[in-house]
Amino acid sequence: MVFEAHERRTDKFPIPASVSMILGLLGAAGHEAYIAGGAVRDMLLGLVPHDFDISSSCSPDVTARILEDAGIRHLDNASVHGTVTAILEGGNIEITTFRVDGKYSDLRRPDSVTFAGSIEEDVRRRDFTVNSLYMDKDGSVRDVTGGIKDLEAGVIRTVGDPDERFGEDALRILRAMRFASRFGFRIEDETFAAMEKCADELKKISAERIASELNGIICGKDAPAVIRRCWRILGVIIPELALCHGFDQHTHFHDRDCLEHTLCVLEGIPLEEKEGSLPSRDLMLSMSALLHDLGKPECFKLDEYGTGHMRGHPEAGRRIAERVLTELKYPTAFTRDVCKLVAFHDVFTPQERTAVHRFLCDLGPDLYEKLKVLQRADIMAHSELGRRRIRRLEYMSEIADELKADGAVFAVKDLAISGSDVISLGCPEGPEVGKILNLLFEKYLAGEISNKRELLMESVKEMIS
Ligand code: ATP
Ligand code: MG
């Protein structure tokens, strides 16, 4: 590894007072102390870091003593990784002694760590050059891996030999994709080649860790470009996604292969701007966009005219989405909603109020707002012919807006009367109450009765008399 020494100052983001204070305390006691890793990268990019880690030449027990003498509460988890956590009002700060990691026999955590004397040693355990910058309390940056050059050029490159680094910890493969997606950086070629080579090792990484990286990858502003390049790698986690690559749908409604179409849909999910951080996309929509057409290859049939048909692909896609998200241990409610969006992505009801009302009841009005965004992105990723369907989406959405403006309700529980009202009118407690409410809701949906308390009460009286 060739080390370069750089000095760089930043005034794009001030170092928070609590961080300066800890750096000052360690410095005053004669130790080297720096902000390290992601926070330096973010500050140099003009972004607000979400946490600050400090790396220091000071041993964990001395660090703990310095904090104690200064009256700062701290957690001493030094026996694990040489980290002492200072508990401060502005947020906890982890102080880690410069260290060298031992072998990674579980591809997750080093078997041992050895304390090291310098940045030059500490840097070797870090994943990418842009994550290997150290900033002192005055804002001067120490760069021994060429991280600043890579940050300026927008390059993700491993520190040291990429095969070795991904071999030690396969999660770094997904981290590289996540940083590339979030910052719009390009993964350097040798780094990328090693990622592809080591991708199978991802099977050994826990579901939770994969899911957390996957979220970052798909929500980042450059997710489509990253997945376009890294689809083979993601195929280790979601095999059906790799099947979409090169899959020609043989229909006039599409002018891209299924993976390209999927990425176009993802691109069409709007980016949300957030103060101090980079624009990103909604997680549920990004996930639904990624998974929405995965059922196509298995449903594909070519007719005698050479046209492809993929009947049933939303349901097949729903099944795949359910399996993928369950395997990756996503929360049940998230899985349920993504599955609904996938299952409904191709549904356009008749342009008629009752049908749209029923549809909103099936889906839930909030999820319908998401479906609209997904359907719009999906339609716009079709060929010109396919894009004509946008009119149907617009009609449907106008009717849905009308319904909402008229105060329509979309669930039995939102009717103007409740179970206790039904009981007060003489219905015995038990399943009969629910049946009556369901019948009322049906009448309401069919337009036979409006959601007015007196009318509903009258109707219940008739039913139970
Ligand atoms: P984020 O903004 O997502 O927090 P980060 O770079 O701060 O990005 P962390 O997971 O908080 O990422 O880790 C802090 C630093 O620790 C990284 O910048 C990197 O130097 C190092 N690091 C974290 N995870 C790994 C890993 N799996 N392999 C090598 N170094 C890592
Ligand atoms: Mg961090």
Side-chain angles (χ1 to χ4, degrees), residues 36-39 41-42 50-51 53 101 104 108 125-128 130-132 165 169 171-172 175 178-179 182-183 209 213:
R41 175 200 66 215
D42 290 350
H50 56 80
D51 50 19
D53 299 321
D101 289 347
Y104 281 69
R108 184 163 176 241
R125 71 181 170 88
R126 300 196 177 268
D127 46 9
F128 307 111
V130 294
N131 289 348
S132 304
R165 305 316 310 284
D169 178 5
L171 191 76
R172 291 174 187 154
R175 284 174 60 86
R178 171 162 66 88
F179 294 125
R182 188 200 295 171
F183 299 117
R209 299 179 90 209
E213 296 300 332

Side-chain angles (χ1 to χ4, degrees), residues 68-84:
E68 200 147 311
D69 290 349
I72 297 169
R73 284 209 304 138
H74 58 277
L75 275 174
D76 190 348
N77 31 11
S79 52
V80 199
H81 289 108
T83 301
V84 179

Side-chain angles (χ1 to χ4, degrees), residues 223-248:
V226 170
I227 302 172
R228 183 170 294 122
R229 189 158 181 228
C230 301
W231 60 272
R232 275 199 190 84
I233 297 170
L234 274 193
V236 173
I237 302 163
I238 311 173
E240 289 84 354
L241 188 73
L243 296 181
C244 291
H245 181 265
F247 172 72
D248 179 347

Side-chain angles (χ1 to χ4, degrees), residues 237-312:
I237 302 163
I238 311 173
E240 289 84 354
L241 188 73
L243 296 181
C244 291
H245 181 265
F247 172 72
D248 179 347
Q249 310 187 47
H250 291 274
T251 133
H252 295 305
F253 295 117
H254 283 280
D255 47 13
R256 303 172 171 89
D257 77 20
C258 194
L259 180 69
E260 231 1 89
H261 163 72
T262 297
L263 299 181
C264 237
V265 178
L266 186 54
E267 186 101 54
I269 304 297
L271 284 165
E272 294 164 11
E273 302 284 338
K274 286 181 209 117
E275 176 85 36
S277 61
L278 290 160
S280 61
R281 295 185 175 84
D282 176 76
L283 176 61
M284 188 181 289
L285 279 169
S286 302
M287 188 62 86
S288 308
L290 185 76
L291 304 178
H292 82 285
D293 264 355
L294 295 192
K296 275 189 171 169
E298 74 171 68
C299 293
F300 182 75
K301 293 215 167 53
L302 204 59
D303 69 16
E304 72 245 54
Y305 307 107
T307 298
H309 299 278
M310 286 146 287
R311 277 197 198 99

Side-chain angles (χ1 to χ4, degrees), residues 119-188:
I119 284 182
E120 282 73 9
E121 287 172 288
D122 188 69
V123 85
R124 289 170 193 267
R125 71 181 170 88
R126 300 196 177 268
D127 46 9
F128 307 111
T129 59
V130 294
N131 289 348
S132 304
L133 297 164
Y134 297 74
M135 184 186 281
D136 71 15
K137 66 176 184 0
D138 304 318
S140 291
V141 176
R142 290 277 309 273
D143 173 16
V144 292
T145 65
I148 286 193
K149 191 167 52 70
D150 284 341
L151 200 60
E152 280 170 351
V155 172
I156 301 293
R157 181 197 314 271
T158 51
V159 174
D161 179 69
D163 289 327
E164 261 174 44
R165 305 316 310 284
F166 293 121
E168 282 165 3
D169 178 5
L171 191 76
R172 291 174 187 154
I173 298 171
L174 299 182
R175 284 174 60 86
M177 291 167 64
R178 171 162 66 88
F179 294 125
S181 171
R182 188 200 295 171
F183 299 117
F185 284 6
R186 182 182 156 75
I187 300 168
E188 176 273 331

